[in-house]
Amino acid sequence: MGMTLVEKLLAKATKQPVVKPGDVLEPGVDLAMSHENAALVINQFVEIYKGTGIEPKVWAPSKIAIIFDHRVPAESSKTATNQKKIRDFVGKQGITKFHDIRGDAGGICHQILVENGYVVPGLIVVGTDSHTTSHGALGAFAFGIGATEMASVWTLGSVLNVEVPGTIKVNANGKLPLHVYPKDLILYLIGKLTAEGANFMVLEFHGDTIKKMSTSGRLTLSNMSVESGATSGLIPPDEETLRYLKEEAGVNFRGELMKPDSDAKYDRVIEVDASNLVPQIACPNAVDNVKPITDVLNVKLNQIVIGSCTNGRLDDLESAAKILKGKKISKDVRMLVFPATWRIYKEALRRGYLADLMDAGAVIMNPNCGCCLGVHQGALADGDVALSTTNRNFKGRMGNPNSEVYLCSAAVAAASAISGVITDPRGVK
Amino acid sequence: MPGHTSKVAAVLADNISTDIIYPGRFMATVLPTETPQYAFADNAELNKRLKNKEIPPNSVVVAGANFGCGSSREQAASTLKGYELVIVARGFARIFFQNAVNLGLRTIVCPAIEASEGDKLEILPDKIVNATKGKSFPTEPLPKARQAIVDAGGLIPFTRKRLLEKSSKH
């Protein structure tokens, strides 16, 4: 019996010819990522060594990445103190993949990892962030873990008790229509799967829609796979992966491009005709409460957000800038734009996208996770309604339990900014 | 402590997210001893009952499917551990479940559980008996590998043991 992609990745990582769902493994870790929650990881790491007489030392300083992104620059003295503690630890332990608050190297962790060539096909990647699933877009088995588990990884260099997950295959075929984006495809899928439909499983994406999709779009699919409960969202690496690595991450990858076997066994196969998709909206307060935009037109908005690890990339800013160039954002809404990294920020600046967005009335923020999880900037007032390209709309997500969040693509966000109500970008002249 | 009897302190719906259990705005708080005060912070009544100690240790929170969906934030598990709650749910989200096992928060998968606030539950190794309703519901055992972490008293002592084994080999 053949193996799915995740089975192949885990077989390779544990040097076994075959693994099957339910097997419990302890794969070595190639990359271990944390953000500001490294402060908690450090506490737990030190705790592990307590009473052992052994000096706390991470297993491989070059395999640890720490990126400040959730609350930068620090919004409180508490955060600032945590960040200082992490800086001291990074220096002491010799951790090399450290991205501090800097205009030449900073940004949101998941995007930083791919831009800098830290992730290549075939790796085992763990991160103390649930959207670590993003890196499945490059054919790595990447998943989120908690802080104590990360402390254990820092100690042992392996991740304990990984049960080989079952796989749901997604076959997406057909050309995405104008103004319909990978974000619409993943929202549609989450609506179909439900928020728990892929719990303890992985999604594996196939079909000509994916073949023709840029790595940026693939990152959006993998990023939000976790919203269906998936451990990871995997895309078999191909020519586009090699192109991305070479042209955008500066990596000449010569390793194996692992593919699932043609006789791999899937728990379920989902077929999607991408050519029939329309823009999708996840309505409050659940990511799987997904409706075609035609069902939710004209909902009045107070805040619009473009950004995050889901949709803060250059193509997202481009689609928004093209819609908003020469137009004005409604006086009734405020629009916040968070480019995912400073590299994206600078390129969007060079291409004029940011000027177009500012001229329309948007506020350009520094790259960070911002209001996506309600910790820093852009909090909502009681009764506020937000439309956002971020990845979650749980109750209280943007910092206020008495507000509502709708999720969409950057094009829907931009079209809606003009009118101040949820608007179909396909009708905007 | 299988076989213990306790009262249902609260009954929650499906898809209780980590944002509901522990809102993101409190994430700068990293010490487990500080986190309990923010448990269910946006559910003012439940938060108040917990803080006022109206809910004694070992009380049960019964939840629906997909409890703990969303973030990897470990505070969502440590905040509940702070009150020594036992979470009985129809199902859990993966990262939360793993965090709970690692930190020693008791989580029990009981796909058919039926309970109301105030019901008396007896938690047995393979089932939960709702004494108030006179019904019993089978539970799913923890996977063996996770049971080993529970038996070690959590991931920290478990990894410490592995570290000592590893260093004695060198």
Side-chain angles (χ1 to χ4, degrees), chain A residues 26 40 47-48 71 78 82 128 144 146-149 152 156 160-161 163 195 199 231 375 392 394 397, chain B residues 19 24-25 28-30 34 66 70-72 74 92 94 98-99 102-103 145-146 149 159-160 162 166-167:
Chain A
E26 187 183 336
L40 178 51
E47 194 63 32
I48 288 170
R71 31 184 84 215
K78 199 166 197 173
N82 282 341
T128 49
T148 303
E149 188 132 27
S152 180
L156 302 172
L160 297 160
N161 303 320
E163 273 179 71
N199 265 359
T231 303
V375 299
R392 288 194 176 129
F394 301 139
R397 181 72 181 172
Chain B
D19 284 278
R25 59 188 186 277
T29 296
V30 296
E34 286 180 275
N66 208 25
S71 169
S72 64
E74 197 164 282
F92 291 92
R94 183 188 63 85
Q98 189 76 40
N99 285 340
N102 291 343
L103 295 180
R146 293 196 177 82
I149 294 173
T159 299
R160 187 182 291 140
R162 288 281 310 277
K166 220 173 150 182
S167 66

Side-chain angles (χ1 to χ4, degrees), chain B residues 45-121:
Chain B
E45 200 221 316
L46 186 52
N47 176 266
K48 199 173 124 202
R49 284 172 60 210
L50 285 165
K51 280 206 291 204
N52 292 349
K53 304 202 188 315
E54 290 164 35
I55 295 173
N58 291 316
S59 293
V60 176
V61 170
V62 172
N66 208 25
F67 185 85
C69 60
S71 169
S72 64
R73 67 185 67 151
E74 197 164 282
Q75 290 92 335
S78 63
T79 196
L80 304 179
K81 168 77 180 162
Y83 292 105
E84 293 297 333
L85 294 175
V86 178
I87 315 295
V88 175
R90 290 175 188 268
F92 291 92
R94 183 188 63 85
I95 308 176
F96 176 86
F97 192 65
Q98 189 76 40
N99 285 340
V101 167
N102 291 343
L103 295 180
L105 169 69
R106 277 193 83 195
T107 41
I108 299 166
V109 181
C110 187
I113 186 75
E114 290 170 26
S116 313
E117 205 176 302
D119 282 2
K120 257 193 188 160
L121 300 186

Side-chain angles (χ1 to χ4, degrees), chain A residues 209-239:
Chain A
T209 314
I210 313 297
K211 268 267 162 241
K212 292 191 178 114
M213 192 180 285
S214 68
T215 297
S216 174
R218 294 175 181 188
L219 285 161
T220 302
L221 297 185
S222 296
N223 176 280
M224 285 197 72
S225 294
V226 69
E227 307 311 331
S228 66
T231 303
S232 201
L234 291 170
I235 297 176
D238 59 10
E239 287 304 308

